[in-house]
Each structure stands twice: as structure tokens, then as C-alpha cells.
């Protein structure tokens, strides 16, 4: 791995870690269900960028694109079902606040 | 590379705005903006097909999903809103500082181990990789899509009144 390629990978790596920190902080610190999903989306954006950068520096960009397309399909399905569940929770609890969800307690 | 650094800075700024902004609607729009900036970055990194998917699906479809959910939720009263905002600010003011801290620590640590990579791929056509080398992925995608469709159908199924 040449010096320039290493430099590109680790420069991107720094920003990817920052993106992970933002997403993780959002998921952990929020009480709003929609915001938690938005945090999850930011985490997925970080993963997408990581796959693309890894493909770019290793010369396997076609494979990386194929994996990213699969990732996007999975992301959409997960988000659609998650939004449906959030919708159901809002319908029963009249709120998107996680502290108001008490009907799951056994 | 300098241009990429500027785009990456814009990406982080958009993601930070998405998380920090008070309004949920602005948060959803911020997520769409983050996706658009990521798309530009993907074009820069020679991934046009994945970039088009990211733009149409993540910036378009998922934003529509979020905005429709937010528009169907009940707005808070002014008093509740103020209380909620004070609570939120107390929890989120630390995030920009944490980000700066992470960036400074990682820059000073200067972790750059040498990675041994396999030889570059001779096949650079993404369509060939998708339809010939990763054919099994398409099967998985179809199964996941069906699982999602059935999940949504079950979630929104109307109860039969007796």
C-alpha cells in the first residue's frame, strides 16, 4: 500500500470515526424515536462511506459499489419497518417519547 | 484530495446540524442534505452507480418517510416545547466538544499502520460483479424486500371488527 493511498484512507477514516460518534451519540442520548432512527441513518452513512473508501484504495471499487447497493436496499427495508413500528407506538401512546412507552413492560 | 477534505467537512457539519437542530423536520432535511453530500463524495471516489442509489433512495425515499411520519405526529404545546428544548440542550451541548476532542486525539495519535491489500480487481464493471460474481446477494435482497413488505402489511393490517 503506497504512502499516498495510506494517507487517503486514514484521512477519510478520521471523518468516518467522527460520523460514527455523531450517530452513536444521537442514538444514545435522544428520547425521541424518530431522532433515534435518524442517528441510526447517520451510522449507516458512515458504514457506506467506509465501504466505498476501502474499495477505492484497494482497487475493488466495483465490488464495493455492489456491496453498497445491497446495503442501501437493506437500509430502506429496515427504515420502512422501523417507521411503521414508530407509527404504531405513536398511535397507542400518543407520543414519540421513549419515556412514555409503558405498554411494553411485562 | 483538498476538495475531498472540504466535502468531508461539509458532511460532518451537515450530520452535526441534523443531530443538533431543534426541529424534527429540519433534522429530516439535514439527513437528506447529509445524503446529498455523501453522494458528491461517492462521485469523487469513482462510484457513480452507488451514488445514484444513495441520492434517489436515501436522500429521496427515506426523507419522504421521515417527513410523513413527523407531519402525522402531534405538535407540542409552547410550554412543553420550551421544557423539551431546555432538556435537549442539556444533553446535546457536549457533542461538538466531543467531536473536536475525537478529531484532535486521533490526529495526534497519528495511527497509520500499513495495510497489505490484495491485487487490484481486473473487473471494474459493477454490473458484471452484481449479476455474475455477487448473484447470491440479489437473492438476499429479494428475501429482505419481501420480509419488509410482509412486515409493513402486518403492522398496518386493519383489525376485523366482530
Amino acid at each position: 500500500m503506497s504512502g499516498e493511498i495510506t494517507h487517503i484512507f486514514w484521512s477519510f477514516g478520521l471523518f468516518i470515526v467522527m460520523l460514527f460518534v455523531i450517530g452513536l451519540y444521537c442514538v444514545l442520548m435522544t428520547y425521541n424515536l424518530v431522532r433515534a432512527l435518524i442517528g441510526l441513518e447517520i451510522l449507516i452513512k458512515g458504514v457506506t462511506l467506509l465501504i466505498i473508501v476501502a474499495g477505492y484504495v484497494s482497487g475493488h471499487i466495483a465490488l464495493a459499489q455492489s456491496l453498497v447497493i445491497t446495503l442501501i436496499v437493506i437500509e430502506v427495508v429496515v427504515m420502512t419497518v422501523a417507521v411503521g413500528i414508530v407509527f404504531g407506538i405513536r398511535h397507542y401512546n400518543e407520543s414519540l417519547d421513549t419515556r412514555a412507552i409503558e405498554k411494553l413492560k411485562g | 484530495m483538498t476538495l475531498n477534505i472540504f466535502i468531508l467537512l461539509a458532511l460532518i457539519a451537515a450530520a452535526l446540524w441534523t443531530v443538533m437542530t431543534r426541529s424534527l423536520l429540519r433534522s429530516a432535511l439535514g439527513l437528506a442534505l447529509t445524503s446529498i453530500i455523501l453522494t458528491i463524495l461517492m462521485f469523487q471516489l469513482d462510484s457513480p452507480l452507488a451514488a445514484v442509489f444513495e441520492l434517489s433512495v436515501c436522500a429521496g425515499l427515506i426523507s419522504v418517510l421521515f417527513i410523513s411520519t413527523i407531519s402525522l405526529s402531534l405538535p407540542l404545546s409552547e410550554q412543553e416545547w420550551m421544557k423539551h428544548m431546555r432538556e435537549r440542550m442539556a444533553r446535546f451541548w457536549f457533542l461538538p466538544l466531543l467531536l473536536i476532542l475525537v478529531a484532535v486525539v486521533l490526529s495526534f495519535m497519528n495511527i497509520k499502520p500499513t495495510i497489505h491489500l490484495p491485487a487490484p480487481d481486473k473487473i471494474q464493471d459493477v454490473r458484471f460483479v452484481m449479476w455474475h460474481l455477487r448473484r447470491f446477494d440479489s437473492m438476499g435482497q429479494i428475501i429482505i424486500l419481501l420480509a419488509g413488505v410482509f412486515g409493513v402489511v402486518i403492522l398496518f393490517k386493519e383489525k376485523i371488527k366482530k
Side-chain angles (χ1 to χ4, degrees):
Chain A
M1 198 176 184
S2 72
E4 195 191 346
I5 295 286
T6 312
H7 177 69
I8 292 172
F9 187 74
W10 293 113
S11 306
F12 273 89
L14 174 71
F15 287 95
I16 290 165
V17 170
M18 287 167 80
L19 213 54
F20 277 143
V21 170
I22 297 173
L24 207 60
Y25 195 93
C26 182
V27 171
L28 293 176
M29 297 303 279
T30 190
Y31 290 118
N32 189 301
L33 286 167
V34 176
R35 257 186 222 280
L37 290 182
I38 287 173
L40 191 65
E41 269 285 314
I42 292 174
L43 277 172
I44 297 171
K45 301 261 174 278
V47 176
T48 308
L49 187 57
L50 184 61
I51 293 173
I52 289 292
V53 173
Y56 180 75
V57 297
S58 65
H60 292 77
I61 197 68
L63 180 65
Q65 284 192 76
S66 167
L67 288 175
V68 165
I69 290 166
T70 309
L71 175 73
I72 290 171
V73 171
I74 295 168
E75 179 187 345
V76 169
V77 172
V78 167
M79 280 301 140
T80 311
V81 176
V83 164
I85 292 169
V86 167
F87 219 74
I89 290 171
R90 199 208 68 82
H91 181 73
Y92 285 110
N93 294 286
E94 299 286 325
S95 171
L96 288 173
D97 198 323
T98 49
R99 289 166 294 187
I101 304 166
E102 291 173 338
K103 289 178 182 172
L104 289 175
K105 286 181 182 171
Chain B
M1 190 61 201
T2 318
L3 180 64
N4 285 347
I5 295 291
F6 278 114
I7 299 170
L8 280 165
L9 283 171
L11 181 74
I12 295 296
L16 195 62
W17 185 66
T18 305
V19 173
M20 296 286 288
T21 189
R22 292 176 174 189
S23 157
L24 259 180
L25 192 64
R26 281 186 201 160
S27 205
L29 292 176
L31 188 68
L33 184 67
T34 312
S35 281
I36 291 167
I37 297 169
L38 184 61
T39 303
I40 297 168
L41 208 54
M42 284 161 117
F43 268 112
Q44 285 285 108
L45 297 175
D46 300 334
S47 316
L49 197 68
V52 167
F53 263 78
E54 174 74 27
L55 186 66
S56 59
V57 178
C58 296
L61 182 68
I62 292 182
S63 301
V64 169
L65 266 177
F66 279 130
I67 291 168
S68 44
T69 311
I70 293 161
S71 64
L72 289 168
S73 62
L74 295 171
L76 296 172
S77 67
E78 201 172 330
Q79 209 173 7
E80 282 175 330
W81 173 259
M82 292 303 288
K83 189 182 165 215
H84 173 69
M85 281 307 121
R86 273 197 298 274
E87 274 182 20
R88 237 190 128 253
M89 280 314 291
R91 277 183 278 126
F92 276 85
W93 70 268
F94 185 62
L95 179 58
L97 295 178
L98 182 69
L99 270 187
I100 293 167
L101 191 73
V102 167
V104 169
V105 167
L106 285 178
S107 303
F108 274 103
M109 280 170 75
N110 204 18
I111 317 163
K112 286 179 182 174
T114 312
I115 303 168
H116 299 286
L117 293 169
D121 221 343
K122 285 177 186 169
I123 305 155
Q124 292 294 336
D125 188 5
V126 66
R127 289 166 299 181
F128 184 84
V129 174
M130 272 186 79
W131 297 116
H132 295 276
L133 302 180
R134 309 287 303 178
R135 197 181 289 165
F136 202 65
D137 284 6
S138 310
M139 291 286 288
Q141 286 180 34
I142 293 165
I143 292 167
I144 289 166
L145 275 170
L146 284 174
V149 168
F150 289 127
V152 170
V153 166
I154 288 166
L155 277 170
F156 290 100
K157 194 168 70 175
E158 284 194 20
K159 286 176 185 169
I160 302 162
K161 288 176 183 173
K162 289 178 182 175

